[in-house]
Amino acid sequence: MKASGPWWTSLTGFFVLNLILVWLKTYLNYFANFSLGASGPVQLFLLALNPIPTAIILLGIALYFRGRLAYFLVWLFNLIQTLWLFSNMLYYREFSDFLSFGILGSGSSTGNNLGKSIVAIIRPTDFLVYVDLIVLAVCLLFKFWPIDKKGLAKRYAFLTTCLGVALMFVDFGIASVDRSGLLTRSFDNNYIVKYLGLNEYAAFNAFQTKKQSDSRKEATAKDLKTVQNFINENNIPANTSYYGSQKGKNVFVIHLESFQQFLIDYKVDGQEVTPNLNAFYHDQNTLSFDNFYNQVGQGKTSDAEMMQENSLYGLSTGSAMTKYGSSNTFEAMPGILGQQGYTSAAFHGDVSTFWNRNNTYKSFGYNYFFSKNYYPNSDKANYSVGYGLKDKIFLKDTAQYIEQLPQPFYAKLITVTNHYPYTLDKENTDFPATQTGDSTVDGYVQTAHYLDEAFGELMAYLKKTGLYDNSTFVLYGDHYGISENHQPAIAKLLGKDSVNNYDLANFQKVPFMIHGTGLQGGINHTYGGEIDMMPTLLHLLGVSTDGLTIFGHDLLSQQNPQTVVFRNGDWVTPTFTKYRTEYYDTKTGQKLSMASNPALKATAKRVQAYADKSLSYSDKVITGDLLRFDKNRLNAYTVDKSSYDYQKASALKSLKQNQKSNPTSLLARNNYQTTTGDYQTSAPELK
């Protein structure tokens, strides 16, 4: 029925105006805040088209109503889409990925710290996406906008919905031609948004999340057999020269937060950023890998831990530790080494619930988990920064627990100071910032330098007490510190005018070092990633990985395939590098065309098939909890989660009892005289 007044005052006009506004701010932000890599007329057309279908469908819901309610619903669905856009703008700016329901669902497990990081990167211009909503709300509330009380005939509302659905199919049809297997083979969320849109990505992610939750019900022992056949086909032998060379030694796993490979030997104003780590990296007893990559997904640190402890990839969406850490069966390092007589302990200067560690570590088989409430300084003002206790304070306070651990032990120390937003108080800042002009980046070397000083203090203590010579040290960077969204700053850090996708792929390198007396040290150029840490370390300790459901390979094996698979489906080999839709010569960085390079085409087909299967099968192991079907392994490495109690009083009581029954700890061997006085720190807070 025809409305009175100009057409734009009708409900149809209000609907069209909001549709244009939603499309415009989404489309503009595709270019301003996201790196979708759209190229060519087809992809650029889809980028312009894909915000429209779901906007029509969502805004069109209001057309089934009349009067003021209909106008309010149009405004409300504009607001919902804007909130989703705004949230992704902030998240993508730091993490180069889009929000998922898995990440949203894990919010409680990361405490308030993720929120602090997001708040730190908000720009005043971000709020421009809300300007239209404010103006429209004022117009409706103060009746500046006339209300068409007659509304729209239901058949026209239905036709509008049909139009949105039809455009969605058009979008998907064109996208499927340009990118075959978009929803079945792609692990990269950028592809989904580029081709289908931000709202469609949300719907697809919801489907993925639901599919993950259903996987356990549908999983069978046959699924595990399929996975194990794949693993057996790609199994490689250990290097006999190294196998068992570190058998029986204590193991320190030192988690270098947000630490990237380029920091090694990097200088600012002629000063080394990390002199202690540099010396450790070049030590004759340290195996250092310079082609080692982080392979994390949305779970970031928790993904790195999943790979380090289990040689399983993080999930395509969300955090595996948060979603499955409490319930799943794992074949993790602490549980496996527990069968070898090791005591295991994890140390973290923040709340135990961060990334669901308090539950996941029980599933992994950790005997002890020393978290924030074990550290008397954790609640003192200015003793913490961002994600927990400052590293110097954390490591010094950790010494009192290390000396009590029965040997041999497996100890993981999680540092946190070198975490975004890379800020320190003046008392702890004794190193010059870089001058890239990017405030997010310039403090990075300062917190890295602080971490390096804390590491040096820990090593000095371990040498004084004698633990150093009887221990194997594993150091690794968990993920990038500076995301690819800071390309101008990255270029300045690397001494380049600009960076391309090849540079960004190499920027994902993180340090991996293994130090132990008698190791044939040196710089190892083998290509690998975090998925390879577990089998490499187990073989050094003389523990076989035969029969384990793991996706990594021993980096010291002479038959290592040197294929690095990233969570988004990209990969690196010593010959070729794939970064989204582009291919490069790994050695030279030259961009390659598959059409004119038969060798690349053959390699790409083979490696991509391997990458897709690795990621897919690893996902099935986690989401289907497939290891519960592995009776052979369960008999050998059963983890009784109920036997672990991380409450402070009971854990410390247990630790004392273990020292008496197994008097092999540093404290026991020192006639129960504490060694913490040997720990010297420059932390101004403790002076």
Side-chain angles (χ1 to χ4, degrees):
M1 187 174 293
K2 187 175 180 180
S4 58
W7 76 271
W8 55 268
T9 64
S10 67
L11 179 59
T12 302
F14 193 70
F15 165 81
V16 171
L17 175 62
N18 278 267
L19 175 62
I20 293 172
L21 291 169
V22 169
W23 171 83
L24 182 63
K25 53 192 172 186
T26 303
Y27 182 69
L28 292 177
N29 277 287
Y30 278 168
F31 294 95
N33 287 296
F34 306 126
S35 300
L36 300 179
S39 61
V42 173
Q43 293 182 15
L44 291 173
F45 170 75
L46 290 176
L47 211 60
L49 172 64
N50 69 41
I52 298 175
T54 49
I56 290 177
I57 294 171
L58 292 173
L59 296 171
I61 293 173
L63 301 181
Y64 291 90
F65 299 86
R66 295 186 178 186
R68 188 170 294 274
L69 175 61
Y71 285 78
F72 169 74
L73 289 174
V74 171
W75 181 90
L76 177 64
F77 283 109
N78 182 342
L79 173 64
I80 291 172
Q81 292 174 88
T82 302
L83 286 170
W84 179 240
L85 172 64
F86 180 78
S87 300
N88 277 283
M89 285 162 50
L90 301 185
Y91 188 80
Y92 195 94
R93 185 169 297 154
E94 182 56 28
F95 300 106
S96 300
D97 201 354
F98 297 93
L99 276 169
S100 70
F101 289 100
I103 288 296
L104 292 172
S106 66
S108 60
S109 74
T110 58
N112 297 320
N113 297 314
L114 180 59
K116 293 177 184 177
S117 294
I118 296 298
V119 168
I121 59 176
I122 292 178
R123 301 168 183 168
T125 53
D126 294 334
F127 294 98
L128 291 175
V129 296
Y130 294 110
V131 170
D132 63 312
L133 287 158
I134 295 172
V135 173
L136 291 173
V138 170
C139 289
L140 291 176
L141 288 172
F142 293 95
K143 300 181 180 180
F144 296 145
W145 196 292
I147 302 298
D148 176 12
K149 297 182 179 180
K150 297 179 180 179
L152 197 68
K154 293 293 190 292
R155 64 180 181 276
Y156 293 126
F158 178 70
L159 288 173
T160 301
T161 302
C162 290
L163 174 62
V165 173
L167 287 175
M168 188 179 295
F169 277 107
V170 169
D171 187 354
F172 182 72
I174 299 174
S176 297
V177 172
D178 194 65
R179 172 75 179 178
S180 61
L182 177 62
L183 299 182
T184 56
R185 293 193 301 108
S186 177
F187 295 97
D188 190 344
N189 293 329
N190 281 279
Y191 283 119
I192 307 298
V193 176
K194 177 171 68 174
Y195 283 104
L196 301 183
L198 194 58
N199 293 337
E200 285 81 352
Y201 159 73
F204 177 67
N205 183 255
F207 170 76
Q208 281 184 308
T209 304
K210 177 64 166 61
K211 187 176 179 181
Q212 284 180 357
S213 66
D214 291 340
S215 292
R216 195 179 197 281
K217 302 174 186 177
E218 301 169 356
T220 66
K222 185 177 179 180
D223 296 323
L224 178 61
K225 187 64 177 177
T226 301
V227 173
Q228 291 178 330
N229 288 340
F230 171 78
I231 290 172
N232 291 335
E233 290 171 2
N234 293 280
N235 191 31
I236 60 172
N239 187 322
T240 55
S241 298
Y242 287 101
Y243 189 88
S245 65
Q246 304 298 297
K247 187 177 180 63
K249 288 190 175 183
N250 300 317
V251 177
F252 283 93
V253 176
I254 301 178
H255 177 111
L256 304 174
E257 175 61 45
S258 304
F259 198 96
Q260 294 180 239
Q261 176 69 17
F262 85 89
L263 286 170
I264 298 296
D265 295 330
Y266 193 79
K267 294 181 179 180
V268 177
D269 295 344
Q271 301 180 57
E272 290 181 290
V273 177
T274 58
N276 294 301
L277 287 167
N278 294 346
F280 197 81
Y281 183 84
H282 294 291
D283 189 280
Q284 63 179 355
N285 291 316
T286 301
L287 285 163
S288 300
F289 295 84
D290 62 352
N291 288 314
F292 186 84
Y293 295 79
N294 91 77
Q295 297 169 287
V296 304
Q298 290 187 330
K300 295 298 184 290
T301 294
S302 66
D303 285 357
E305 288 196 67
M306 183 61 67
M307 287 183 278
Q308 179 257 319
E309 302 280 25
N310 299 274
S311 196
L312 296 172
Y313 293 97
L315 297 174
S316 60
T317 176
S319 163
M321 280 176 53
T322 298
K323 298 173 71 173
Y324 299 97
S326 304
S327 58
N328 272 24
T329 298
F330 292 99
E331 298 170 342
M333 288 289 297
I336 294 172
L337 291 181
Q339 299 294 319
Q340 308 296 319
Y342 276 73
T343 305
S344 56
F347 302 86
H348 179 47
D350 202 353
V351 293
S352 64
T353 54
F354 200 103
W355 290 124
N356 194 34
R357 287 187 176 101
N358 58 324
N359 294 309
T360 302
Y361 284 172
K362 292 178 181 178
S363 300
F364 286 178
Y366 270 108
N367 300 117
Y368 302 100
F369 176 29
F370 300 92
S371 55
K372 182 177 180 179
N373 66 321
Y374 285 83
Y375 294 87
N377 290 314
S378 61
D379 291 324
K380 293 182 180 179
N382 203 38
Y383 278 53
S384 296
V385 57
Y387 286 68
L389 267 176
K390 294 174 182 174
D391 293 340
K392 290 182 182 179
I393 302 172
F394 163 67
L395 293 177
K396 185 181 189 306
D397 287 353
T398 295
Q400 63 181 303
Y401 302 118
I402 290 176
E403 70 174 2
Q404 298 182 61
L405 294 177
Q407 301 184 65
F409 58 72
Y410 172 81
K412 178 164 69 173
L413 285 63
I414 302 174
T415 64
V416 298
T417 305
N418 191 47
H419 195 292
Y420 179 85
Y422 314 119
T423 54
L424 274 175
D425 48 281
K426 291 183 179 179
E427 290 78 9
N428 283 288
T429 305
D430 60 355
F431 195 82
T434 54
Q435 303 297 319
T436 68
D438 188 324
S439 59
T440 300
V441 172
D442 286 335
Y444 181 59
V445 293
Q446 295 177 317
T447 52
H449 182 72
Y450 177 93
L451 165 60
D452 179 78
E453 290 182 329
F455 170 76
E457 292 171 356
L458 173 65
M459 292 300 105
Y461 163 75
L462 295 177
K463 288 177 180 178
K464 283 183 180 180
T465 59
L467 283 177
Y468 186 88
D469 291 332
N470 192 39
S471 299
T472 300
F473 295 87
V474 178
L475 277 65
Y476 75 99
D478 61 339
H479 54 74
Y480 62 79
I482 303 170
S483 77
E484 63 181 38
N485 293 313
H486 302 277
Q487 293 185 28
I490 292 173
K492 290 183 179 179
L493 290 175
L494 300 180
K496 298 186 175 186
D497 295 329
S498 62
V499 291
N500 58 18
N501 285 340
Y502 171 77
D503 298 316
L504 295 176
N506 279 318
F507 206 59
Q508 300 305 311
K509 290 182 180 180
V510 293
F512 181 51
M513 312 175 214
I514 304 175
H515 174 94
T517 303
L519 279 181
Q520 301 169 26
I523 308 301
N524 189 305
H525 304 304
T526 300
Y527 282 77
E530 291 163 331
I531 201 75
D532 302 312
M533 290 190 286
M534 179 186 182
T536 304
L537 178 57
L538 283 177
H539 286 173
L540 284 169
L541 296 174
V543 180
S544 173
T545 56
D546 291 343
L548 287 176
T549 304
I550 59 176
F551 289 84
H553 297 95
D554 184 346
L555 290 172
L556 299 171
S557 172
Q558 295 169 336
Q559 297 182 35
N560 190 289
Q562 299 198 70
T563 299
V564 186
V565 177
F566 297 106
R567 182 60 261 191
N568 64 0
D570 289 348
W571 44 263
V572 171
T573 72
T575 309
F576 302 117
T577 295
K578 176 181 180 287
Y579 187 95
R580 296 183 182 170
T581 59
E582 297 178 350
Y583 295 89
Y584 296 87
D585 183 303
T586 300
K587 299 298 184 185
T588 67
Q590 179 185 358
K591 190 174 180 180
L592 303 172
S593 170
M594 188 179 293
S596 59
N597 194 320
L600 169 60
K601 187 174 183 179
T603 299
K605 183 178 180 180
R606 173 180 56 82
V607 175
Q608 194 65 61
Y610 171 79
D612 292 348
K613 283 186 177 181
S614 296
L615 294 170
S616 177
Y617 286 155
S618 177
D619 286 349
K620 287 182 178 180
V621 170
I622 296 174
T623 61
D625 191 16
L626 296 186
L627 294 181
R628 63 193 157 116
F629 299 117
D630 194 345
K631 302 302 180 183
N632 292 330
R633 299 310 307 173
L634 288 179
N635 290 337
Y637 299 125
T638 299
V639 171
D640 181 9
K641 288 178 276 191
S642 64
S643 65
Y644 305 125
D645 187 348
Y646 297 154
Q647 296 299 315
K648 184 176 180 180
S650 54
L652 293 181
K653 181 180 179 181
S654 169
L655 191 57
K656 286 185 178 180
Q657 291 174 341
N658 286 341
Q659 287 185 70
K660 291 181 180 179
S661 61
N662 182 19
T664 58
S665 69
L666 174 63
L667 187 64
R669 291 180 175 179
N670 198 42
N671 295 318
Y672 294 97
Q673 299 298 310
T674 183
T675 63
T676 55
D678 291 329
Y679 202 115
Q680 302 298 312
T681 178
S682 62
E685 298 86 354
L686 300 181
K687 292 183 177 180

